[in-house]
Amino acid sequence: MSALRELELRHLVALDAVASEGTFGRAADRLGYTQSAISQQIAALERLVGERVFDRPGGPRPVELTPFGDVVLRHGRELLSRADSMHDELDRFRNGGVGRLTVGTFQSVSSAVLPALVRSMRTRHPDLEIRGRESPDDHELNGLLAAGEVDVSFIGGAPAPEFECRHLLDDPFVLLAQPGRFPDGPVNVSDLVGEPMIGQQPHSCQLLNEGSLRAAGCDPTYVFRSEDNGTVAAMVRSGMGVAILPFLCLEIEDPRLSFHRLEPVLPPRQITLAWRAGRTLSPAAEEFIELADDECSRLAATMSAFT
Amino acid sequence: MSALRELELRHLVALDAVASEGTFGRAADRLGYTQSAISQQIAALERLVGERVFDRPGGPRPVELTPFGDVVLRHGRELLSRADSMHDELDRFRNGGVGRLTVGTFQSVSSAVLPALVRSMRTRHPDLEIRGRESPDDHELNGLLAAGEVDVSFIGGAPAPEFECRHLLDDPFVLLAQPGRFPDGPVNVSDLVGEPMIGQQPHSCQLLNEGSLRAAGCDPTYVFRSEDNGTVAAMVRSGMGVAILPFLCLEIEDPRLSFHRLEPVLPPRQITLAWRAGRTLSPAAEEFIELADDECSRLAATMSAFT
DNA sequence: TGATGATCATTAGATAGGCTGATGTTCATG
DNA sequence: CATGAACATCAGCCTATCTAATGATCATCA
């Protein structure tokens, strides 16, 4: 289309320098070229735009912008300043300071892990735009990741093969009961046979839990299911039944409930952070992964004190 | 400073083409290059910005922007669109459509010539910004022109040597008197000896007039001076005296006054349009000069019918 | 008026960079 | 495992641009 596609920023820099210095020679000194080079650069610019941009009065008098050159210069300075601001933003992006980071997550991570992470990221990079997409379903989270709608995603289940991922945490299943319902300490899975159970809806996490129970010899009967962990806890407090939940779902300070390890230990839910393999991550995403790793190490330490 | 000063618009065009086409090869076809050239252009761009802008998954899969490349592309498209709008504005400027035109003028031209000129310019170029600077003093007008505060200036007196100029019109001096004060037809300058005169303030135009009178043997006595031509005419109507004014200053339709040629004819005021020699004029200014010439030719024809 | 000095233009030669065309490498597909 | 599509790389050519030297123009000043 436009012949201006051959324009180079160098030309505009030269134009600007000559316009402010008044002579080709001083502009050349300022830019580290010879006078001849500036003369040729301006000539090239004039060839591109099709008009003289400077009047050369001849002799020792300084050159002066033509009206046309003045228009070129005004637009040129605008272009240069855009290029500078691009440079600035690239620098900030390089260290994670700007851009958008979208994270896939599910409920227990959203409430137990993510808030601290978002807080750190926001204090480090106030201008970074952080978004989240929550789903109880691993399959949906995988889909969001594959489609590029999230940059990284927490995954509760098995790491899908087309993703790169980092294992962050083993989240053990814990028995939740009315205080006194069981003696303090670990509870054997066989003691739960026939016990009415409260559970979550049958999505990936819950199904893992149920499968493990059956494999350990206990075929659970669910008398109530809710996606809301507060509701599950309330039902347990009411005596409707007991519940097995991932540790991260628990409000461990609640004195109206008691928590028990299970024996044998059910295979814990593995919490990993996944991203598309072979795709370059944004610096913000890279940093997020490291912070998530740190945060989960701290969490693991806290958890081991409770179980 | 910024390494981005070596950026060329070509790089951004290539980035944009690859991002929309999905492969280097199709982008090359679109832009008329070979695949190799695009590959090298993208490599050059990546060297400039310091990061990969595309992930190349390898094999027959299409390339995809990295998060970094996405930032570069968004800024790059902004730059390209700025360059396009620069191109558009240069085109409009080339045919006089945009920009600013400042004209130096003095009273008689302002009232008799300029309105029609401004009207033509505005209908041809609605977006052109037209300004005027009026002064009764040729010397001041010369100064404005030399300082570049006006692009072109009407000058009533002698053309200053450092300006280029075009002679537009001879504006003859005309005697203004009460009807019946002199017989119809030309009046001899000697008949004005001792006649009380009304005149303008003693600036360049008025002084030219007085000097010519004296040279023709009539030493005028001014009983009233006003810069306002309506006031001068009113004083003449009142019988206070007679006046000699340039033709362009007259309201020739006024039946309460009569107009007379003078004999011998006083050297007319030469109305010229001047601009700085050796400086390129804006297309709008060039066009203005031609229009002024045309308009003044028409005026001269009208005038010769009256004198 | 003529020498001087500052300015930009032009030229020639060297160098760097970019494009083409051919080839190498990678990887999904059947 | 062969095929084909895609990007990378390389060599060779060509163009663009830089430097250095020289030429042309013009104000200034003696």
Side-chain angles (χ1 to χ4, degrees), chain A residues 28-303:
Chain A
D29 288 345
R30 189 214 279 187
L31 300 178
Y33 290 114
T34 61
Q35 170 262 319
S36 171
I38 294 297
S39 187
Q40 293 174 65
Q41 285 195 8
I42 296 296
L45 177 60
E46 289 176 330
R47 186 174 45 73
L48 282 174
V49 300
E51 307 271 344
R52 285 262 161 150
V53 295
F54 286 111
D55 280 316
R56 289 87 153 164
R61 287 170 296 181
V63 300
E64 233 174 327
L65 280 173
T66 61
F68 191 88
D70 189 58
V71 178
V72 177
L73 178 61
R74 281 206 308 276
H75 279 79
R77 286 187 168 144
E78 172 71 24
L79 274 173
L80 289 177
S81 107
R82 292 272 158 182
D84 284 346
S85 74
M86 167 172 167
H87 189 243
D88 290 348
E89 181 154 337
L90 291 183
D91 274 348
R92 271 179 297 151
F93 185 86
R94 240 186 289 269
N95 82 355
V98 292
R100 176 185 295 177
L101 175 66
T102 307
V103 180
T105 178
F106 48 89
Q107 197 274 325
S108 59
V109 166
S110 297
S111 74
V113 182
L114 211 43
L117 279 176
V118 170
R119 196 173 304 118
S120 323
M121 288 296 287
R122 287 193 56 79
T123 48
R124 287 158 184 252
H125 307 299
D127 293 335
L128 182 68
E129 186 182 345
I130 305 175
R131 299 187 174 200
R133 283 287 298 270
E134 184 179 287
S135 165
D137 183 36
D138 271 359
H139 191 259
E140 186 179 352
L141 288 175
N142 279 323
L144 292 173
L145 196 54
E149 297 194 37
V150 300
D151 300 304
V152 296
S153 183
F154 290 94
I155 300 279
E162 78 259 36
F163 300 130
E164 222 168 315
C165 56
R166 180 176 311 191
H167 177 250
L168 296 177
L169 192 66
D170 280 344
D171 186 12
F173 287 104
V174 173
L175 178 67
L176 197 59
Q178 282 183 309
R181 173 69 189 76
F182 297 101
D184 279 358
V187 172
N188 200 290
V189 169
S190 57
D191 294 339
L192 298 179
V193 173
E195 192 76 29
M197 306 277 293
I198 319 286
Q200 298 175 321
Q201 303 293 349
H203 47 61
S204 49
C205 163
Q206 175 67 17
L207 292 173
L208 169 65
N209 160 355
E210 296 180 18
S212 305
L213 271 183
R214 266 190 294 274
C218 168
D219 193 14
T221 304
Y222 285 88
V223 297
F224 189 74
R225 289 182 186 272
S226 167
E227 212 43 36
D228 181 69
N229 296 323
T231 304
V232 171
M235 289 302 167
V236 171
R237 283 201 305 270
S238 78
M240 189 187 220
V242 299
I244 291 177
L245 285 179
F247 185 90
L248 289 183
C249 294
L250 307 180
E251 289 285 339
I252 51 181
E253 276 88 14
D254 191 336
R256 300 165 299 177
L257 287 170
S258 66
F259 308 97
H260 306 266
R261 271 191 295 150
L262 288 166
E263 282 190 345
V265 171
L266 301 187
R269 184 163 62 151
Q270 307 224 337
I271 295 183
T272 59
L273 195 50
W275 57 93
R276 280 180 288 178
R279 304 288 315 279
T280 304
L281 287 173
S282 71
E286 301 271 12
E287 189 173 356
F288 182 84
I289 294 169
E290 297 310 320
L291 285 176
D293 206 346
D294 296 349
E295 176 65 19
C296 286
S297 303
R298 269 194 297 280
L299 254 179
T302 312
M303 276 165 48

Side-chain angles (χ1 to χ4, degrees), chain A residues 1-8 45 48-50 79, chain B residues 9-10 80 82-88 90 94:
Chain A
M1 335 251 115
S2 131
L4 282 194
R5 284 291 146 86
E6 294 173 33
L7 187 65
E8 303 182 15
L45 177 60
L48 282 174
V49 300
L79 274 173
Chain B
L9 294 187
R10 275 182 315 119
L80 289 177
R82 291 274 160 179
D84 284 346
S85 73
M86 168 171 168
H87 190 244
D88 290 348
L90 291 184
R94 240 186 289 268

Side-chain angles (χ1 to χ4, degrees), chain B residues 137-204:
Chain B
D137 183 37
D138 271 359
H139 191 258
E140 185 178 352
L141 288 174
N142 279 323
L144 291 172
L145 196 53
E149 297 195 36
V150 299
D151 300 303
V152 297
S153 182
F154 290 94
I155 301 279
E162 78 260 34
F163 300 132
E164 224 169 315
C165 57
R166 182 177 306 193
H167 177 250
L168 298 176
L169 193 64
D170 279 344
D171 186 13
F173 286 106
V174 174
L175 176 68
L176 199 59
Q178 282 183 308
R181 172 69 187 76
F182 296 99
D184 280 358
V187 170
N188 199 290
V189 170
S190 56
D191 295 339
L192 299 178
V193 173
E195 193 76 27
M197 307 276 297
I198 319 286
Q200 299 175 319
Q201 301 293 348
H203 47 61
S204 48

